[in-house]
Amino acid sequence: MRNPQVVLDNLTNKSNDETYKYQRVYRNLYNPEFYLMAYEDIYPNPGNMTKGSDNKTIDGMSMSMKRITNIIDSLRDEKYQPTPVRRTYIEKKRGNGKRPLGIPSFDDKLLQTVVKYILESIYESSFSSRSHGYRPNKSCHTAIKQIADTFNGIKWFIEGDIKGFFDNIDHSILIDLLRKRIKDEKFLRLIRKFLKAGYVEDWKYHNSYSGVPQGGIISPILSNIYLNELDKFIEDFQHKFNKGKNKAQNLDYTKLHQKSMRLKKKLKDKVAKGTLKEGERDEIIGFIKEANSRKMKLPSKDPMDQNYRRLKYVRYADDWLIGIIGSKEDAVRIKKELTEFIRSKLKLELSQEKTLITNSRKFARFLGYDITISRNQQPKPTSRPAGEQKKVLSRSNSGPVSIYMPKEAWVSKLIEYRAIKMEGPNWKPMHRRVLVNNDDLEILTRYNAEIRGMYNYYRLALNVSGLNKFKYFMEYSLYKTFANKYKTSISKIKNKYCINGVFAVRYKTKKDHRTQYLYNDGFKRNNSIKTDHINTDLPISKFDFGRTSLISRLKAEQCEWCHKENVELEIHHVRKLKDLKGKKLWEKAMIARNRKTIALCALGKGNDCHRKLHAGLLD
């Protein structure tokens, strides 16, 4: 069988040719190596321990070659039928209601992952640079950074809101869009099956007539393919809308600048000719300073230049922001044309109430950040080149972008965590009952993760230091949680746990004693958009499991406990390694190897190792 990465690379190599039609794509689904790669990709996700509509989790799924062969056989004659997803609801990030989430069966997750690999290879390179959602090396931060870099001088914002986007994607339009690049009806029929699979809610089946399942592995790439049409429309509109190469000079600014230059020349000539009268030097310099002072209060370019227009655009999934250098009438016209395009071409509805036209003096909300354009024209002293001590006054570019963290962002997060309560007109820290039964290290780790999570997301904001207030409430909520756990006072908790004024938990590992502190590194603005990695020290293994990849372990068809060979395997999974107590030998083996999986034989009739493990009879 061909190496999956070679196949995907070949697909990618042809993706830049928009005239190329991909044929016989479906046959790649017959390659077992794709499923092994997909399994290794998705198995670490804790969400796989959540039951799908088939009432099964990833644990207990027999990931033998036989299982993969069964999936491939059902695909060969197109008998594969996706299972309806199990629908549940989760809180929205901003706390305004809940959104539906679909949980597919594990077989569907596996197959959808392979389909996703193929679709990404075909489409990823053709997506707009202004699209940031669900894409490799893209994120909310890259979207915000692009706004900061390109929206300078914007006069109006249009905040886009499509009503129920994920639930209302038109299946026929989506398939037709796929058909423009993919000439393989078998492959398209399989995608349509996933779209039409329906969902189960409260044990009742519901048909899917539109939309992509939220939670489906192929849903993000399909939504980007759909909204790429919006990206292209706006890009074409942008070429027609943009006008003028440069803004015209501000005449008032130019007159003052020329006056200043004439006065400087006059002073220079008089000094050179020796005709400068007593007191005349100070008088001319005073006129120069006055002209420069008035000039500094004016923009150098005409802000109302009718012959200069620009449109800027950034999208993250179904959230998008347009910036306009132009008039409000221009913004109204663009919103109207977008409404018509989205209605007629995408069969979706632009919310007229939520798609706001906002003057850039005010805040536009995008991805949880507040975006505005600074009008501050006050000059600031700037150091001159090395060796020159004197500083000169200079101004930043006209209309720089300013990015802020809304206060309600951290307040709503505290409410979500139930770390504060209202007492009279003020918020007060409170203990978190849900954490009281956890051990000390788990409680502290939870608080640290939540504090770092807020900082990591809002670290691009000019006012990110405002998270010191968030940290204050979290810190005292932590004290109250520990005080409630041990039925004591906050002062006694601080005396017991604080080291040099910082809360800390001491704990013991097999190797040494360690201390974990409450986050205390401050909240400094950080424009970095690199992913943070957290490394942990792992114990050295003494168990002979080898360091092969999960794929190699599956291919070996050897039980990692009883060492029987040529047997069908089931992979035992745990959500987190810390869930293991380390009392049983098989638990010690998984902890020692830092693996959340162990391959066990599945012979049936009570003789297999996996059944014995769940029955408590393996050791």
Side-chain angles (χ1 to χ4, degrees):
M1 288 292 177
R2 297 178 68 193
N3 183 298
Q5 194 57 56
V6 173
V7 175
L8 297 177
D9 288 343
N10 287 338
L11 294 175
T12 301
N13 290 337
K14 299 180 178 66
S15 63
N16 288 324
D17 182 0
E18 294 185 1
T19 64
Y20 184 81
K21 303 288 186 181
Y22 289 88
Q23 303 182 43
R24 299 200 297 171
V25 177
Y26 192 78
R27 65 176 181 172
N28 292 304
L29 303 178
Y30 304 154
N31 187 343
E33 298 291 331
F34 267 112
Y35 298 89
L36 293 171
M37 184 172 77
Y39 179 61
E40 189 169 47
D41 190 16
I42 66 177
Y43 88 88
N45 184 358
N48 288 317
M49 295 300 289
T50 303
K51 292 181 179 180
S53 56
D54 56 359
N55 208 34
K56 294 179 181 180
T57 70
I58 186 174
D59 186 35
M61 304 305 283
S62 173
M63 279 310 301
S64 64
M65 298 306 295
K66 179 181 178 181
R67 182 182 188 85
I68 293 174
T69 299
N70 289 339
I71 295 175
I72 292 173
D73 288 345
S74 66
L75 288 168
R76 287 185 187 277
D77 54 14
E78 294 191 81
K79 289 183 179 179
Y80 186 92
Q81 187 60 47
T83 306
V85 300
R86 182 171 71 86
R87 174 166 286 191
T88 186
Y89 292 86
I90 60 174
E91 293 287 345
K92 291 184 178 180
K93 288 185 177 180
R94 297 178 186 175
N96 52 346
K98 296 184 176 182
R99 67 178 179 88
L101 178 67
I103 304 173
S105 68
F106 187 70
D107 275 4
D108 289 347
K109 286 183 181 180
L110 200 65
L111 179 53
Q112 282 192 40
T113 301
V114 178
V115 173
K116 182 195 74 168
Y117 293 153
I118 294 171
L119 290 175
E120 284 183 343
S121 296
I122 293 173
Y123 286 97
E124 176 57 35
S125 64
S126 65
F127 286 153
S128 169
S129 62
R130 300 170 181 86
S131 168
H132 296 261
Y134 315 125
R135 296 184 60 193
N137 302 315
K138 299 277 190 177
S139 66
C140 293
H141 285 166
T142 61
I144 296 296
K145 191 71 165 55
Q146 189 173 57
I147 289 173
D149 292 342
T150 62
F151 275 48
N152 292 328
I154 290 299
K155 302 301 180 185
W156 298 94
F157 293 115
I158 303 177
E159 306 172 49
D161 187 278
I162 298 174
K163 287 186 178 179
F165 168 70
F166 290 100
D167 290 332
N168 292 302
I169 288 177
D170 187 283
H171 292 170
S172 296
I173 292 176
L174 177 57
I175 295 299
D176 286 343
L177 290 174
L178 292 169
R179 194 174 279 124
K180 289 180 179 180
R181 298 298 307 271
I182 301 173
K183 193 176 181 180
D184 186 334
E185 291 302 317
K186 275 190 173 184
F187 188 75
L188 299 180
R189 281 196 294 269
L190 177 63
I191 292 178
R192 188 183 284 275
K193 282 183 179 181
F194 280 116
L195 295 173
K196 298 290 187 183
Y199 64 93
V200 174
E201 184 176 355
D202 296 328
W203 302 106
K204 184 178 180 181
Y205 173 76
H206 300 266
N207 284 310
S208 296
Y209 298 105
S210 64
V212 294
Q214 294 201 29
I217 290 176
I218 59 172
S219 296
I221 181 68
L222 292 178
S223 66
N224 270 334
I225 292 169
Y226 204 83
L227 284 181
N228 192 51
E229 298 303 298
L230 174 64
D231 299 340
K232 290 192 291 187
F233 171 79
I234 292 180
E235 185 175 346
D236 291 341
F237 187 93
Q238 183 182 43
H239 291 315
K240 300 173 185 175
F241 178 84
N242 288 356
K243 183 179 179 182
K245 186 175 182 181
N246 295 299
K247 276 188 178 181
Q249 291 290 325
N250 184 344
L251 293 179
D252 292 334
Y253 178 93
T254 302
K255 289 177 182 178
L256 289 169
H257 178 71
Q258 291 173 347
K259 180 179 180 180
S260 174
M261 296 303 292
R262 286 196 302 270
L263 288 168
K264 287 180 180 179
K265 186 177 185 304
K266 178 180 179 181
L267 179 60
K268 184 178 179 180
D269 290 344
K270 282 183 173 290
V271 170
K273 294 177 181 179
T275 59
L276 195 64
K277 298 178 181 179
E278 183 178 354
E280 191 175 11
R281 178 188 181 91
D282 291 340
E283 182 183 17
I284 295 174
I285 290 175
F287 289 145
I288 293 172
K289 286 183 177 180
E290 180 189 3
N292 286 338
S293 177
R294 291 170 58 192
K295 182 181 74 172
M296 283 292 190
K297 296 177 182 178
L298 298 173
S300 61
K301 304 292 184 179
D302 181 4
M304 304 305 293
D305 184 2
Q306 299 297 315
N307 295 314
Y308 183 86
R309 296 185 312 197
R310 287 293 184 271
L311 185 151
K312 305 293 183 180
Y313 167 71
V314 171
R315 179 175 67 83
Y316 184 94
D318 59 329
D319 289 332
W320 46 268
L321 186 69
I322 287 176
I324 300 166
I325 299 177
S327 66
K328 185 175 182 180
E329 289 72 22
D330 289 330
V332 171
R333 177 168 64 89
I334 291 169
K335 178 180 175 180
K336 183 177 180 181
E337 296 201 26
L338 278 172
T339 299
E340 175 59 23
F341 172 81
I342 289 172
R343 183 195 63 79
S344 61
K345 300 298 183 181
L346 301 181
K347 297 294 189 291
L348 296 169
E349 186 177 353
L350 194 66
S351 172
Q352 298 302 305
E353 301 78 20
K354 295 182 180 179
T355 302
L356 306 176
I357 295 176
T358 307
N359 189 285
S360 63
R361 294 178 184 271
K362 300 178 181 179
F363 288 124
R365 182 67 56 84
F366 184 64
L367 300 179
Y369 280 85
D370 279 341
I371 315 292
T372 188
I373 303 298
S374 174
R375 260 52 172 202
N376 186 3
Q377 293 290 316
Q378 291 299 317
K380 296 180 181 180
T382 304
S383 297
R384 301 193 73 177
E388 297 186 33
Q389 300 297 321
K390 187 178 178 181
K391 293 185 177 182
V392 296
L393 293 177
S394 66
R395 296 186 299 181
S396 61
N397 293 333
S398 179
V401 179
S402 296
I403 301 169
Y404 294 94
M405 171 187 65
K407 178 182 177 182
E408 61 263 31
W410 58 264
V411 173
S412 63
K413 188 60 70 173
L414 288 169
I415 296 172
E416 178 188 329
Y417 293 153
R418 298 187 179 181
I420 57 174
K421 62 181 178 180
M422 181 70 77
E423 286 188 4
N426 301 316
W427 290 104
K428 298 292 184 182
M430 64 180 291
H431 77 278
R432 296 167 70 181
R433 186 70 189 87
V434 70
L435 300 179
V436 166
N437 294 327
N438 292 358
D439 65 43
D440 290 1
L441 186 59
E442 286 178 325
I443 296 173
L444 177 57
T445 300
R446 175 76 170 268
Y447 274 89
N448 276 339
E450 290 164 349
I451 294 170
R452 286 193 179 99
M454 281 295 289
Y455 175 46
N456 181 60
Y457 189 78
Y458 283 105
R459 67 179 186 265
L460 302 181
L462 289 168
N463 63 335
V464 68
S465 61
L467 285 179
N468 281 299
K469 295 179 181 178
F470 173 76
K471 195 241 179 179
Y472 166 81
F473 283 109
M474 291 291 279
E475 182 174 354
Y476 274 85
S477 172
L478 172 67
Y479 294 152
K480 289 191 173 188
T481 300
F482 271 79
N484 186 271
K485 176 179 179 178
Y486 292 108
K487 308 302 179 187
T488 187
S489 66
I490 290 178
S491 60
K492 289 181 179 179
I493 289 296
K494 293 172 76 172
N495 288 335
K496 178 181 177 181
Y497 286 92
C498 287
I499 301 174
N500 296 325
V502 180
F503 187 90
V505 170
R506 302 170 181 85
Y507 63 100
K508 184 180 180 181
T509 68
K510 292 181 179 179
K511 298 172 65 176
D512 53 19
H513 290 81
R514 298 184 183 180
T515 303
Q516 180 166 317
Y517 291 87
L518 177 66
Y519 179 83
N520 197 41
D521 292 334
F523 302 99
K524 185 178 180 181
R525 190 186 186 204
N526 182 354
N527 284 320
S528 169
I529 55 174
K530 294 181 180 179
T531 304
D532 295 320
H533 297 279
I534 299 175
N535 295 318
T536 56
D537 295 326
L538 305 176
I540 298 175
S541 172
K542 62 178 180 180
F543 291 86
D544 186 23
F545 276 23
R547 292 187 176 272
T548 56
S549 69
L550 181 61
I551 291 178
S552 299
R553 292 158 62 201
L554 285 169
K555 283 184 172 182
E557 295 188 325
Q558 180 181 26
C559 177
E560 293 180 335
W561 184 259
C562 70
H563 302 296
K564 290 179 182 176
E565 297 181 350
N566 300 317
V567 293
E568 185 176 344
L569 298 177
E570 289 184 348
I571 306 298
H572 177 71
H573 299 76
V574 295
R575 189 183 296 270
K576 298 177 182 177
L577 279 175
K578 69 178 183 180
D579 294 338
L580 299 175
K581 304 301 181 183
K583 294 181 179 180
K584 297 181 180 294
L585 289 177
W586 64 267
E587 289 180 327
K588 292 178 181 178
M590 294 180 74
I591 293 171
R593 298 304 293 165
N594 191 42
R595 282 183 181 156
K596 295 190 291 183
T597 61
I598 180 172
L600 301 173
C601 57
L603 300 178
K605 297 182 180 180
N607 295 322
D608 58 287
C609 292
H610 198 191
R611 292 177 192 271
K612 288 180 181 179
L613 182 149
H614 281 284
L617 303 174
L618 191 61
D619 286 355

